[in-house]
Amino acid sequence: MQRRPFFYDITLRDGNQSLKKPWSLDEKIVIFDKIVELGINAIELGFPASSQMDFDSCKTLASRANEKTLVSVLARANKNDINRALDAIKDAKCARLHTFITLSPFHMQYVLNKESDVVANIAIEAVEYAAAKIKEMGKNFDIEFSVEHFGDCSSNLDFVIETLKKVVEKGATTINLPNTVERYRPSVFVEMVKKVKEALPDYVVISVHNHNDLGMATATTAESFFAGATQLECCLNGLGERAGNTDFNQVAIALHNCGIKLDIDLSKIYETALTISQMSKVKIYEKAPLIGPEALAHRSGIHQDGAIKTKEMDFGAYRPIHPTLIGRFDDEKIGFTSQSGKTAIHDIIKALKYPITIQESIYLTPFAKALAENKGELSNDEILELYFDKICDIKGDFELISFKPIEKGVFGLFFNYKKEQKEVIGSGNGPLDACLNGLKKLGFEVKLEHYKQYSLDGDKDGSSARAMSEISILDNNNNTIIARAIDTSTPQANVKAIFNALNLLK
Ligand code: KIV
Ligand code: ZN
């Protein structure tokens, strides 16, 4: 059977400890419930020995959890922290004691100021003590041991592995390998994870906990899974000390895209991310993968074309997932800049519910590009203004002055042709026919293929609705030319459209 990742959330511990204003208990309850709803397997509630407030919130959250979610609390490798931690989770249905100490040569020497065998003994004794206490409490809580700064242990990895074997003998069933400060390449860390996995008994769950100092924590965590780490410690929105912890969303989606089955309700990711951002006051940056406001924006013409052609597909030309997978329903954003092209114009105008053909989009593109060169990205209103100006009112040799009824079926048409005033009386079966007949009399024959009417807006505030006429005519080479125009009167819109079409004829 395929191995599934076991997601261990550290938003309420590593995430919370890094906030400018750590969360109150009420806020932690909201976040805790969100994490449970996502389907995350385990939640680290906090660090009970750090303060009375932390102890109290761990205690409340521990009793809130049901048996499906494992809850865990952090303790340094000393009796006082362990007692406090176990006291905080004693009412939980399914719980874990998580203890840690560094085994990195640098940290043992300069921060703990202790010899390595002294530190190893502290680790082993802490786990032994925790196991005995849990037994005494009559609970079946398990124990996780973390090698703080594991990423810095490449030079003493054999010593670390020997210590971990003893820690496991004393009762730890999860061994967590943190990249407490990300300094090197993912593959260096992943190789170390592999070695630990190979050295420990199979029943021991290997976990990774990667900080994101160089921005590679997602890669390190996803690759560690394939190297044998089953527990993945992540933070919602990548919160956490300094540049944060591994971003849960990114890892979950990377594994999902690799065909790994998850227990997670992916459709809750986006909404949860917005809540976490609001509650942590840590903004989702524009370019944040998957959840950033810009994560679905396409501005280059080539990307826009591919994105629009694959819009409805799960596998998009220029996106890693379909946004609805994570519950994101804002469309892929097509922004028009000087780098964009006809497909963007077409898509934007269509999205604004106005008709436009690809030929018209091609015609409009240079005008939009020229404007965007000065302004940067154009707003939808600016594009629409261009559409009205350049598509619905085409300037050229023909300039309509007026088209007025004289009597039933008879109309007077006044216009300029190459700046010279023309006037003619046209009659026919309705205004459009009369206009075409009038033009024909003056030698401007128009071969009408079809015409179509759109009602653009309702009767707002008593003002009349505007009509759009779309006509298609044939030029001398029998090519179809589409033109359109807008007016509050349909006959006027038709005639204006004829004049726009005349101006498009070469
Ligand atoms: O980053 C780290 O090493 C930690 C440990 C306490 C697990 O947060
Ligand atoms: Zn950490």
Side-chain angles (χ1 to χ4, degrees), residues 57 79 131 142 217 219 222 224 254 274 282 306 337 348 381 411 456 471 488:
S57 54
K79 289 183 182 170
D142 67 11
S224 295
L274 299 182
V282 177
T337 69
I348 291 168
D381 281 352
F411 292 80
L456 292 184
I471 61 151
T488 47

Side-chain angles (χ1 to χ4, degrees), residues 243-257:
N245 284 84
T246 306
D247 183 297
F248 163 75
N249 305 328
Q250 295 167 15
V251 174
I253 295 300
L255 296 183
H256 167 84
N257 280 359

